[in-house]
Amino acid sequence: MATHNELGKIGEDLAVEFLQKKGYKILDCNWRYKKAEVDIIAQKNDVLAVVEVKTRSSNYFGNPQDFVNQKKIQLLVEAINEYVISKDLDVEVRFDIVAILKNNNKLELEHLEDAFLHF
C-alpha cells in the first residue's frame, strides 16, 4: 500500500475512535454509491453525521479541509440522499470534516461540524 494510503487509513481509524469517544455510533465506513465514497456515516441522537476524513502529512499546500471541493460535496450529498432513502431513516443530516495533520510525527485532529456551510 502506498504511504499516502496508509496515512489515510490511519486517519480514518483515528477519526472513528474520536467520534466514538464523543458518543457517536458508527453506522458505516467507506460506504459507496456510484462514484462517491463516504468515509464515515455516524449517528448521535437524531443527527446523521456524514464525515469526510482528510489526512495530510503537511500543510504546505493548505489545510486538510481545503481539499474538499465542490464536486466531492455534490457526490457526498447524492450518496447520502440514497443512503437515507434506502435505510428509511428519519434524521437530520449534517456534513462534517475531520481534518488530520501530521506534525512532527504527531497527528493533530480537528472536527469541523456542518463544514459544508463554509463552502
Side-chain angles (χ1 to χ4, degrees):
M1 184 182 295
T3 304
H4 70 278
N5 289 342
E6 291 172 14
L7 184 60
K9 176 69 175 129
I10 290 168
E12 287 182 10
D13 291 345
L14 185 65
V16 165
E17 185 179 312
F18 171 82
L19 291 168
Q20 287 174 326
K21 285 181 182 174
K22 287 184 70 176
Y24 288 86
K25 179 182 177 191
I26 306 303
L27 303 179
D28 272 299
C29 291
N30 305 113
W31 189 80
R32 293 183 162 281
Y33 175 73
K34 295 185 179 179
K35 293 182 179 182
E37 181 179 348
V38 182
D39 292 334
I40 301 170
I41 301 172
Q43 187 169 352
K44 185 173 182 179
N45 303 321
D46 289 335
V47 175
L48 188 72
V50 180
V51 184
E52 177 69 11
V53 180
K54 287 295 179 190
T55 308
R56 294 290 180 264
S57 57
S58 82
N59 62 355
Y60 183 78
F61 294 106
N63 292 316
Q65 61 269 29
D66 297 338
F67 292 88
V68 179
N69 61 29
Q70 202 61 43
K71 175 102 172 126
K72 179 66 174 182
I73 292 170
Q74 287 176 302
L75 289 172
L76 289 173
V77 168
E78 183 181 349
I80 211 62
N81 281 339
E82 176 61 27
Y83 186 88
V84 169
I85 291 167
S86 69
K87 304 278 185 183
D88 195 27
L89 300 176
D90 184 20
V91 291
E92 175 187 336
V93 176
R94 187 183 74 213
F95 293 88
D96 296 356
I97 297 174
V98 171
I100 302 170
L101 185 61
K102 187 175 179 182
N103 193 357
N104 297 325
N105 289 330
K106 182 180 165 201
L107 295 174
E108 298 172 359
L109 184 146
E110 183 179 5
H111 181 197
L112 305 162
E113 294 182 0
D114 269 330
F116 296 176
L117 294 176
H118 309 289
F119 283 82

